[in-house]
Amino acid sequence: MSVTPQSRPNSPAPFGANAVFFLSADGRVEAANAAATALWLETPAQLRDRSFASLFVAEVASRDAASDAAYWEAFLSTALGQPIPQQLARRDGSTLAVRVELERNGAASPGYFGHVQPTAADEIPRQEATSELFSVLRDRSALGFFDLNFVKQSTFLSPSWRSALGYTEASLADSHAAWAALIHPDDTTAAPDKLAGRTTATGTRPFNVEYRMRHARGHYVWVQCIGVQCFGPNGSLQRIVGVQLDIAERKELEESALAAEERLNLLSERGRVALFELDFVQHSVWLSPAFKNLVGFEEHEELIEPENFLRALPPEDTAGGIIPFFTQPKPGQTAYFDTLRLRHRNGADLWVYAGIIRQFSRRRDLQRVLGFITPMPEDGAGGPAGLTGVDFIAVLAELREAVILLDRHGSVLMLNATAERLLDASAEQLVGRSGNDVFRPMHRESGAAAESPIDRALATGSPTALTLEFVLDRGAGIDSLPVAYSCRAVLDANGVAMGAVLVFRDPAEMSLTPDELVRANRFEALGQLAGGIAHDFNNLLTTILGGVSLAKDNRDDSGLESSERACMAAKALSKQLLQFAKGGTGTRQVLRVAEFLGESVRFSAAGSSVKIELSAPNELGTVLADRGQLLQVFQNLILNAVQAMPGDAGNVWVTASNVTLTENQVAPLPAGAYVAVEVRDNGSGIATEHLARVFDPFFTTKKSGSGLGLATVHSIVKRHGGQIGLESELGVGTTFTVFLPSVEQAVPVEARAAPTLRYGTGRILFMDDDPEISRLTEGMLLSLEYKVDLARSGEEAIQFYKRYLNIKRPYDVVIMDLTVIGGMGGEQCFKVLRDLDPGVRAIVASGYDSEDMAQDYLTMGFCGYLTKPYRVSDLARILKKVLGK
């Protein structure tokens, strides 16, 4: 009886497609299935009449009829009835590890079945990627796919691969040479096409490397490349397939971390400051080399638990244990300075000056202690002789900030080298003098003397916030110096000021990373916008309250429609405020310029009497950008223009257009298509001597400005591959022009909402701790003909759900608020309900209108996200979606 491949006994479990051949008695291929043709990359006609032995890599120098016959005999003797390992030779020159087994054909005509299987799932030959899912991943995701085929002399670079480096299909050729030319000269040995020469290989080999590639704008970008190399029988590299990721931000973080670690090591290894860390959560201890040397520990000696730190402290001072030792001093203060007695390994006492920082949990449990110590001079009895500053000044000398220590009378005790440099005087000239004579701030514009930060700190005990509004008067014949400063009192155990610390710096020497700059400016801009937004909210509330009042008092519902529109406008304004406060997500998407310009104008114009006109035609090109960051750019520019108006009266014109730049027309932008956005005002203008510095961090001519707005704009625009230009004339006005690269991609089309389902059936459990929201929502759901139960907390919702689950009638949908004051919130409640009933359908009802937050909860397992405030139609729509009706 003939045995077909489907019924073949003792067949090994397939790893992938099972290739089956029907062979003649002398080992010739008479027929093959589709899996076989896919494995060998050949057609059935090309395989027919071939010697089965010739389909595999042979360990002989030549192949002829005699050698094939001998090889076939070897197959029969070894593979008949049992699998053997082989390397198949594919048409493109690559090889593949397989298992081969022969089986006699039970039919009348003699012959054999040949069964061939790849030896592992990851060695299944790659089929042509034609699925819709892979096409979307290849063309639209952040993953850059590439395929270098040296056998066929072909190269494939996906659209996302090109886009990440700023290239289009027309600007970069599909060739290995063009690809290799982009790699940084210092990184060529790390490239996947160079890794092949390091070792002899056959088959496939994975790789994971990092190197730099040249961007279309000329700079180099760090990328991570992950993929597979394919080698031929002779060890030659035949193909490279992989994906590429932009890791520039990760490299910047790594370099910053290494620089910070190097600074810390320099401080510690030189012995100027000894550092320690106790982690009571992770139960770990870290001591710097200088600390170990100071207390006599061996260099490689490790303290496993925080309690082991007691070995460095006198027993009589630590009777209560290590935690009370660090929690009892200076209650209510996170950080404090104090003298501290340590115990040397040899038993001797060691007095040090210590700075301690404590971290507590919400329950005020000590979680972490970080600190530094520096030895103090000793008196004849072995005790501390008092703080003279000689040793502590060595620590202060490492700081880039200028530091002045003052006594309770405001006299200078000591200062570091940076303070001497900025004050243009030596310590010998300044120690002992009144701090008010040494540090004399003046208003930047008027030149009038400012309030003494030292007197304020000593008198009130409260710190002076960091300010950038002043310059420092350094005496006759010396130029005044712009400064950023703050002053804080040093309090004793009774809360009485025993001195003060004054810290100041030249803003020109201050630097922020691009991300720090964006965050700092975002918070400043929020403060500037708050008053205007409050004005607009009050206007909207007036419309809402007026419509409700008419309906309630006069039974006139004509104003309710206006109230509803005002509610939706307030909801949109709060959503935009939340997006601005959160900043960019780091994800770039294709955006319509006209859309986010309109949002920027509406947001920036809140509460302002300045007239803002927007001209943004519908045919504007699209840009690939972080939406939150671009909103910040244009809100900053519009706010800057509004604030430049004398007497809060004037005009601002925002105009956008498509432009094509030639090479060097706007340096350093390459030639190409751009969207140009011009923000022009008829305000006071900028003085010529200030034009070159307007984009510098901390530079400002405003009395209350921080100098971060335009610096942030410049940073974000540059990071998006654009450029910003400036023209200004005193008394006439200022024009900023932003150029952003245009992309030839359509904005994703959002699916239209399905028609609203007015009525429904089922039982709904609604949980919210606000009784008014619960009452109104109950009415809405009843109007939709749902049955409703109300819960005030997660605990109560769980009891309701258990009750109906026990009688086999679980709720159709649970709608729950996330935050419940004094009770279990929606997220925790959902996890409990899901354990009770894995099929629970839950909807979040939240006052946070955020797509990112909604996606997080949908990923968690919620079926929907309902944003407050909501209408009956909103409830009906989401219930229809969740219930599938």
Side-chain angles (χ1 to χ4, degrees):
M1 177 179 177
S2 176
V3 181
T4 64
Q6 290 79 6
S7 61
R8 177 173 169 262
N10 302 319
S11 177
F15 288 95
N18 187 12
V20 181
F21 293 82
F22 183 81
L23 308 176
S24 64
D26 61 350
R28 296 282 171 179
V29 177
E30 295 185 352
N33 69 351
T37 61
L39 274 174
W40 268 265
L41 304 178
E42 300 198 29
T43 64
Q46 290 171 326
L47 290 173
R48 191 175 300 116
D49 293 326
R50 295 264 302 274
S51 168
F52 185 69
S54 69
L55 301 179
F56 303 93
V57 178
E59 299 178 359
V60 294
S62 62
R63 298 296 293 261
D64 52 24
S67 62
D68 283 343
Y71 209 40
W72 168 244
E73 292 297 326
F75 259 116
L76 278 178
S77 63
T78 57
L80 188 60
Q82 62 179 0
I84 62 171
Q86 288 290 309
Q87 292 279 332
L88 66 82
R90 303 171 74 197
R91 187 173 183 81
D92 65 355
S94 63
T95 61
L96 187 67
V98 295
R99 294 185 306 183
V100 183
E101 185 176 358
L102 297 176
E103 179 185 20
R104 295 186 186 278
N105 180 14
S109 59
Y112 301 88
F113 284 116
H115 302 273
V116 182
Q117 293 177 315
T119 58
D122 59 355
E123 293 176 343
I124 298 172
R126 185 180 69 86
Q127 303 300 316
E128 192 67 29
T130 57
S131 71
E132 180 181 356
L133 178 62
F134 184 80
S135 297
V136 172
L137 183 67
R138 180 193 62 194
D139 297 337
R140 301 185 185 179
S141 73
L143 294 173
F145 289 82
F146 67 94
D147 184 350
L148 308 177
N149 193 320
F150 304 114
V151 175
K152 296 183 178 180
Q153 295 296 309
S154 65
T155 298
F156 168 76
L157 304 174
S158 71
S160 53
W161 190 98
R162 298 174 184 272
S163 176
L165 293 173
Y167 296 100
T168 62
E169 188 172 357
S171 64
L172 183 66
D174 277 330
S175 71
H176 172 233
W179 173 87
L182 301 180
I183 298 175
H184 194 285
D186 296 340
D187 299 342
T188 52
T189 55
D193 61 338
K194 302 299 182 185
L195 295 173
R198 300 180 185 177
T199 182
T200 302
T202 58
T204 61
R205 185 176 65 186
F207 63 86
N208 187 341
V209 292
E210 297 176 2
Y211 48 84
R212 289 164 290 181
M213 301 198 80
R214 190 175 68 248
H215 195 276
R217 298 183 181 88
H219 62 282
Y220 282 91
V221 176
W222 275 102
V223 298
Q224 181 178 13
C225 188
I226 305 170
V228 175
Q229 299 168 315
C230 301
F231 298 90
N234 60 354
S236 62
L237 181 61
Q238 296 183 334
R239 192 173 189 179
I240 301 173
V241 181
V243 295
Q244 190 164 291
L245 298 168
D246 184 339
I247 58 171
E249 291 187 6
R250 195 195 82 194
K251 282 293 185 180
E252 290 177 6
L253 290 174
E254 288 177 356
E255 292 173 2
S256 299
L258 289 173
E261 184 176 359
E262 182 182 5
R263 288 193 292 268
L264 184 64
N265 289 336
L266 286 174
L267 278 173
S268 177
E269 291 172 1
R270 291 178 183 177
R272 296 183 179 182
V273 59
L275 311 172
F276 68 92
E277 177 188 23
L278 310 177
D279 192 324
F280 295 96
V281 177
Q282 300 296 328
H283 300 286
S284 63
V285 183
W286 175 80
L287 306 178
S288 72
F291 191 100
K292 291 182 178 181
N293 180 64
L294 191 62
V295 297
F297 288 175
E298 297 295 333
E299 181 179 352
H300 301 293
E301 186 172 357
E302 297 292 340
L303 302 184
I304 306 303
E305 294 283 342
E307 287 73 15
N308 298 146
F309 191 78
L310 292 172
R311 291 157 48 188
L313 299 169
E316 57 270 26
D317 294 344
T318 57
I322 191 69
I323 291 181
F325 180 82
F326 282 109
T327 55
Q328 291 172 358
K330 306 291 190 299
Q333 297 183 32
T334 301
Y336 66 91
F337 297 92
D338 203 354
T339 56
L340 188 66
R341 184 164 62 126
L342 299 181
R343 175 62 55 89
H344 194 275
R345 172 64 63 86
N346 61 16
D349 287 342
L350 176 66
W351 286 94
V352 297
Y353 187 77
I356 308 294
I357 298 176
R358 302 174 289 195
Q359 292 183 352
F360 296 92
S361 68
R362 291 182 179 179
R363 298 180 180 180
R364 300 304 297 170
D365 295 328
L366 184 64
Q367 295 184 317
R368 191 179 181 203
V369 174
L370 300 97
F372 72 86
I373 60 172
T374 185
M376 297 175 60
E378 296 182 356
D379 59 13
L387 182 62
T388 65
V390 174
D391 296 289
F392 188 54
I393 202 68
V395 178
L396 299 183
E398 298 289 341
L399 302 178
R400 296 183 180 181
E401 287 79 9
V403 181
I404 301 178
L405 302 183
L406 306 111
D407 64 17
R408 67 177 69 247
H409 305 294
S411 298
V412 177
L413 289 174
M414 64 181 71
L415 66 163
N416 66 354
T418 307
E420 292 182 79
R421 176 174 59 82
L422 295 183
L423 294 171
D424 198 21
S426 65
E428 289 78 8
Q429 295 172 300
L430 301 176
V431 171
R433 291 178 56 185
S434 169
N436 290 332
D437 293 338
V438 171
F439 189 83
R440 301 185 300 275
M442 302 185 305
H443 286 278
R444 181 182 300 173
E445 297 296 327
S446 66
E451 177 189 11
S452 167
I454 301 170
D455 289 346
R456 178 179 178 182
L458 292 174
T460 65
S462 59
T464 301
L466 180 67
T467 177
L468 296 160
E469 302 176 23
F470 304 99
V471 296
L472 186 61
D473 178 10
R474 299 191 289 179
I478 306 176
D479 292 338
S480 60
L481 177 74
V483 288
Y485 68 83
S486 65
C487 188
R488 179 179 294 271
V490 179
L491 307 178
D492 61 16
N494 298 317
V496 178
M498 56 184 293
V501 180
L502 177 67
V503 181
F504 60 100
R505 192 166 185 177
D506 180 356
E509 299 176 359
M510 300 171 71
S511 62
L512 292 175
T513 67
D515 288 337
E516 289 171 336
L517 189 65
V518 170
R519 285 195 297 270
N521 169 251
R522 186 167 68 247
F523 297 139
E524 179 196 23
L526 278 171
Q528 294 173 347
L529 291 168
I533 293 171
H535 171 273
D536 277 17
F537 262 115
N538 284 333
N539 283 346
L540 293 170
L541 289 173
T542 300
T543 303
I544 296 169
L545 187 60
V548 172
S549 178
L550 276 175
K552 179 180 178 182
D553 298 336
N554 301 339
R555 301 184 181 275
D556 179 2
D557 62 0
S558 61
L560 290 181
E561 187 174 349
S562 296
S563 296
E564 183 181 24
R565 287 197 299 268
C567 280
M568 301 312 295
K571 180 179 179 180
L573 188 58
S574 66
K575 177 180 180 179
Q576 195 169 354
L577 181 63
L578 180 64
Q579 285 181 336
F580 187 83
K582 184 179 179 182
T585 63
T587 302
R588 298 190 180 186
Q589 55 185 313
V590 180
L591 301 173
R592 294 187 182 92
V593 176
E595 182 180 328
F596 67 73
L597 281 181
E599 292 184 24
S600 297
V601 168
R602 288 192 297 273
F603 202 45
S604 305
S608 172
S609 59
V610 174
K611 183 179 180 181
I612 304 177
E613 297 182 14
L614 172 63
S615 174
N618 292 330
E619 62 271 15
L620 274 179
T622 55
V623 297
L624 184 65
D626 183 317
R627 181 186 184 86
Q629 291 193 356
L630 278 198
L631 285 172
Q632 192 170 352
V633 164
F634 292 104
Q635 284 160 2
N636 267 309
L637 290 177
I638 297 169
L639 276 174
N640 194 70
V642 169
Q643 293 170 354
M645 300 298 175
D648 294 330
N651 291 278
V652 176
W653 297 270
V654 181
T655 307
S657 61
N658 296 322
V659 298
T660 301
L661 299 181
T662 58
E663 201 69 36
N664 298 322
Q665 183 178 353
V666 177
L669 298 181
Y674 292 83
V675 176
V677 182
E678 180 182 276
V679 180
R680 179 168 60 92
D681 66 68
N682 60 355
S684 54
I686 303 172
T688 304
E689 62 270 20
H690 293 153
L691 288 175
R693 298 190 60 195
V694 294
F695 296 118
D696 293 345
F698 305 108
F699 175 79
T700 181
T701 58
K702 302 174 185 175
K703 293 182 180 181
S704 59
S706 67
L708 295 177
L710 292 179
T712 303
V713 168
H714 186 262
S715 175
I716 293 175
V717 171
K718 294 285 284 185
R719 292 169 71 179
H720 281 77
Q723 184 61 282
I724 182 169
L726 165 64
E727 295 179 0
S728 186
E729 183 178 348
L730 279 176
V732 177
T734 302
T735 301
F736 288 95
T737 306
V738 175
F739 296 91
L740 294 171
S742 181
V743 295
E744 297 178 359
Q745 297 182 37
V747 177
V749 179
E750 296 183 1
R752 295 183 60 184
T756 299
L757 176 70
R758 183 64 187 173
Y759 300 105
T761 58
R763 181 177 293 276
I764 311 296
L765 175 59
F766 182 80
M767 187 271 284
D768 199 301
D769 61 340
D770 189 311
E772 289 299 319
I773 293 177
S774 295
R775 184 180 62 81
L776 288 171
T777 305
E778 181 184 27
M780 295 180 189
L781 291 171
L782 290 174
S783 73
L784 294 170
E785 298 187 355
Y786 289 103
K787 297 179 181 179
V788 190
D789 287 324
L790 301 179
R792 291 168 295 182
S793 66
E795 293 88 350
E796 191 173 345
I798 292 170
Q799 294 303 317
F800 270 109
Y801 203 91
K802 284 181 177 179
R803 187 181 307 163
Y804 281 91
L805 190 63
N806 288 337
I807 60 174
K808 309 300 183 183
R809 294 179 58 191
Y811 286 97
D812 294 281
V813 175
V814 182
I815 305 174
M816 54 182 69
D817 188 18
L818 289 175
T819 305
V820 174
I821 298 176
M824 181 189 293
E827 181 177 339
Q828 187 179 356
C829 176
F830 171 70
K831 293 177 180 178
V832 176
L833 295 181
R834 188 170 53 185
D835 291 337
L836 293 172
D837 178 13
V840 62
R841 288 179 284 195
I843 298 172
V844 171
S846 173
Y848 292 98
D849 193 353
S850 166
E851 286 85 356
D852 293 335
M853 184 178 292
Q855 187 57 52
D856 289 342
Y857 284 104
L858 292 175
T859 303
M860 189 183 300
F862 282 89
C863 299
Y865 190 91
L866 181 64
T867 304
K868 299 176 183 177
Y870 45 79
R871 297 166 292 187
V872 176
S873 59
D874 298 323
L875 270 173
R877 185 179 298 112
I878 196 167
L879 286 171
K880 175 188 176 183
K881 178 181 177 182
V882 172
L883 292 172
K885 297 180 179 177

